[in-house]
């Protein structure tokens, strides 16, 4: 009998960044019409602009928070700055894309220097419209602590992609 394996578990997103959860919302993340799929590699030149993030399954009374982090900074073998915050958007209405939310931390282009990095998008359901304090630093961010401090509960959706440093030959 075949066993279904969650790609978030295989990619160690569950464990390193998030606790185990059951997805209840559909979230689509895409760069230039290329959808992000768990564990697929995207080139840094492909992700240089803020992605389009669409949320399906909410309603006008529901608000969400989106967190994008890199848990492999500065390198996957010794990620002592885990996690690095790349983007934080809150108060996203439940029937739209993230551009209608409040950007607390602007999008930072993924630029991995050493090894293959995971870039994680985690979506949380808010209990209502909230006031958030932006984190003091992008480094040593913790998605778990941020969610706990803001009473967000477990994530409702998550997806991640891999990226590594692009050589000049790969950019052509």
């Amino acid at each position: 009998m075949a066993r279904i394996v969650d790609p978030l578990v295989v990619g160690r997103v569950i464990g390193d960044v998030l606790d185990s959860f059951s997805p209840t919302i559909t979230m689509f993340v895409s760069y230039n019409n290329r959808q992000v799929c768990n564990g697929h590699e995207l080139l840094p030149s492909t992700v240089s602009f803020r992605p389009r993030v669409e949320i399906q399954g909410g309603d006008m009374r529901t608000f969400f928070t989106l967190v994008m982090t890199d848990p492999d900074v500065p390198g996957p073998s010794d990620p002592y700055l885990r996690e690095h915050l790349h983007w934080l958007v809150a108060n996203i209405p439940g029937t739209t894309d993230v551009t209608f939310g409040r950007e607390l931390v602007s999008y930072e282009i993924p630029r991995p220097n050493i090894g293959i990095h995971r870039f994680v998008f985690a979506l949380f359901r808010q209990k209502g419209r909230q006031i958030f304090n932006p984190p003091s630093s992008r480094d040593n961010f913790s998605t778990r602590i941020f969610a706990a401090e803001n009473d967000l509960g477990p994530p409702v959706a998550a997806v991640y992609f891999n990226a590594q440093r692009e050589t000049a030959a790969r950019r052509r």
Side-chain angles (χ1 to χ4, degrees):
M1 183 172 191
R3 201 172 74 170
I4 298 174
V5 181
D6 185 341
L8 295 173
V9 173
V10 173
R12 295 184 340 270
V13 170
I14 302 291
D16 288 351
V17 180
L18 304 170
D19 293 324
S20 188
F21 71 98
S22 296
T24 56
I25 294 291
T26 303
M27 174 177 66
F28 296 102
V29 179
S30 60
Y31 287 93
N32 299 322
N33 295 322
R34 183 168 180 200
Q35 186 171 338
V36 172
C37 296
N38 284 321
H40 288 203
E41 183 175 354
L42 295 176
L43 299 174
S45 58
T46 305
V47 298
S48 60
F49 294 100
R50 189 172 68 188
R52 178 175 175 81
V53 180
E54 298 177 50
I55 301 166
Q56 295 178 353
D59 58 46
M60 288 305 290
R61 297 178 310 255
T62 308
F63 293 93
F64 295 94
T65 297
L66 177 71
V67 176
M68 178 188 177
T69 66
D70 175 354
D72 300 317
V73 174
S77 61
D78 185 20
Y80 63 86
L81 294 177
R82 172 179 294 167
E83 301 164 47
H84 182 81
L85 180 64
H86 277 269
W87 197 25
L88 179 58
V89 184
N91 293 320
I92 305 164
T95 59
T96 186
D97 64 44
V98 299
T99 57
F100 293 97
R102 180 171 175 248
E103 192 173 61
L104 300 174
V105 176
S106 62
Y107 181 76
E108 181 179 87
I109 301 167
R111 289 191 177 122
N113 287 323
I114 303 166
I116 299 170
H117 289 238
R118 297 165 293 166
F119 293 90
V120 179
F121 293 89
L123 186 69
F124 296 88
R125 183 188 317 266
Q126 299 173 199
K127 292 191 172 25
R129 189 176 288 275
Q130 291 179 233
I131 296 173
F132 291 87
N133 291 322
S136 58
S137 172
R138 288 181 186 261
D139 287 328
N140 295 306
F141 179 81
S142 169
T143 300
R144 284 184 183 98
I145 292 172
F146 178 80
E149 287 176 348
N150 291 285
D151 198 24
L152 296 175
V156 294
V159 66
Y160 80 101
F161 68 90
N162 295 322
Q164 60 185 312
R165 185 176 182 176
E166 250 179 294
T167 63
R170 287 184 75 190
R171 282 188 230 138
R172 292 184 194 156

